Amino acid sequence: MNHIKRPTKAEISRELKDYVLITLGLVSYALGWAAFLIPYQITTGGTTGIGAIIYYSTGFPIQYSYFIINAVLMTFAIKILGPRFSIKTTYAIFMLTFLLGFFQMLIKNPDGTFPLILGAGEDFMACLIGATMCGVGLGIVFNCNGSTGGTDIIAAIINKYRDVTLGRMIMACDVVIISSCYFVFHDWRRVIFGFVTLFVIGYVLDYIVNSTRQSVQFFIFSKEYDKIADRITKETHRGVTVLDGTGWYSKGNVKVLVVLAYKRQSVEIFRLVKDIDPNAFVSQSSVIGVYGEGFNKLKGK
């Protein structure tokens, strides 16, 4: 009879922390839209950008368009992204739908119009501030293994199998969306603002998630080396090499695990080791480049 593994207190605490951080990231994202992008009629990519274009042209609430599009996308993405990612993404979609509506209602004037917080003619500054808030929000969400849906889902799927930065992937997916806003405003200035917003969001997102796609090398000394190696292989999908060593002080035989991983996976690996053997000895060092399967391709003529 198979027994269902119950999550430990540390795992539950970690998940709760992730959801709190995801919520804070969504607050930053929604506030950036409601306070700066929507009042100045600035759009960007993603399903939120599509919702904004629909709102500017028809008045249909942005949060409803966002929710409908993502509901369709999620039906196709659950199997690929895995249950844990999908649960967090579903939570983020529902929460962001609520927050977008909430902040719009909070900020709107009694007559239903949006106040220009920075004053008239400050479109570019609103573009920069709003985009930075959106980028920070997305970065926090991605760091917690979540997503706000839309092109984020597409980017996360590709990022799972290819070494492509998230910001650049999202940028590639969103060029067509931003360009289409010309047919609403017939104003190339709006298109330029959209691309500036997209660039800032992508830059800030990349900086937060993986400012440099730096790789790290671990040396792990533990009596529970087999359990640690199994979990690292299964949960981080990174290879583990076991070396035979001799402790010179004790003159005893020891097993040494060697792991190469991306810097963003460091916290996850430390957590795995700590969960299994809190007394393990771990050395982490940065490496300039890692080439081969699962990392960058070998370069050379």
Side-chain angles (χ1 to χ4, degrees):
M1 182 177 179
N2 294 327
H3 295 281
I4 299 174
K5 182 185 175 183
R6 292 184 178 181
T8 63
K9 290 183 178 180
E11 290 172 338
I12 294 173
S13 176
R14 197 178 302 152
E15 286 295 305
L16 289 175
K17 182 181 177 182
D18 281 349
Y19 278 98
V20 170
L21 289 174
I22 286 174
T23 304
L24 291 176
L26 295 175
V27 167
S28 176
Y29 186 84
L31 194 55
W33 267 102
F36 297 101
L37 300 184
I38 294 176
Y40 288 88
Q41 294 190 318
I42 298 169
T43 190
T44 186
T47 48
T48 322
I50 296 173
I53 293 173
I54 294 173
Y55 172 71
Y56 298 147
S57 57
T58 66
F60 187 72
I62 182 174
Q63 63 270 22
Y64 297 151
S65 300
Y66 164 82
F67 182 79
I68 292 169
I69 296 169
N70 278 291
V72 174
L73 283 174
M74 281 299 294
T75 59
F76 296 101
I78 289 175
K79 290 184 179 179
I80 299 174
L81 297 176
R84 182 176 297 182
F85 184 93
S86 299
I87 290 170
K88 289 182 178 178
T89 303
T90 303
Y91 168 79
I93 290 171
F94 276 97
M95 181 57 70
L96 185 56
T97 300
F98 166 75
L99 290 173
L100 282 169
F102 174 75
F103 283 125
Q104 287 180 80
M105 181 181 66
L106 199 66
I107 292 171
K108 274 184 180 180
N109 293 318
D111 60 359
T113 60
F114 284 94
L116 302 179
I117 296 176
L118 301 177
E122 295 293 338
D123 301 47
F124 186 70
M125 186 58 67
C127 165
L128 292 180
I129 296 174
T132 301
M133 293 180 68
C134 289
V136 169
L138 285 177
I140 294 172
V141 171
F142 267 100
N143 269 342
C144 298
N145 200 31
S147 165
T148 56
T151 49
D152 297 350
I153 293 177
I154 299 171
I157 292 172
I158 296 175
N159 183 256
K160 182 177 180 179
Y161 300 105
R162 293 287 184 270
D163 183 21
V164 181
T165 60
L166 293 173
R168 289 177 186 171
M169 194 60 248
I170 293 173
M171 198 174 295
C173 293
D174 293 341
V175 168
V176 174
I177 298 172
I178 294 173
S179 300
S180 66
C181 79
Y182 175 80
F183 300 103
V184 176
F185 297 107
H186 299 287
D187 181 2
W188 284 110
R189 194 170 66 104
R190 297 291 173 189
V191 178
I192 293 172
F193 281 149
F195 280 114
V196 171
T197 305
L198 183 63
F199 174 80
V200 174
I201 290 175
Y203 179 82
V204 175
L205 172 61
D206 270 349
Y207 182 80
I208 292 176
V209 174
N210 47 347
S211 55
T212 59
R213 290 186 70 82
Q214 186 179 9
S215 298
V216 292
Q217 180 176 264
F218 287 94
F219 287 104
I220 304 171
F221 302 79
S222 172
K223 293 179 180 179
E224 304 289 342
Y225 69 92
D226 50 345
K227 295 179 181 177
I228 294 173
D230 284 341
R231 284 195 62 182
I232 289 176
T233 303
K234 291 176 182 177
E235 297 184 27
T236 69
H237 304 290
R238 288 294 163 203
V240 180
T241 301
V242 183
L243 304 179
D244 290 315
T246 302
W248 197 249
Y249 179 78
S250 65
K251 300 298 189 293
N253 294 328
V254 295
K255 297 290 187 180
V256 184
L257 302 183
V258 181
V259 183
L260 289 168
Y262 286 122
K263 187 177 181 180
R264 68 173 187 273
Q265 296 177 302
S266 299
V267 175
E268 185 177 2
I269 291 173
F270 272 114
R271 286 174 174 176
L272 291 178
V273 174
K274 185 179 178 181
D275 287 346
I276 297 170
D277 183 7
N279 297 316
F281 184 84
V282 182
S283 168
Q284 175 189 340
S285 58
S286 298
V287 291
I288 296 174
V290 179
Y291 303 95
E293 187 175 352
F295 291 91
N296 297 320
K297 292 183 178 179
L298 284 169
K299 298 177 182 179
K301 295 182 181 179

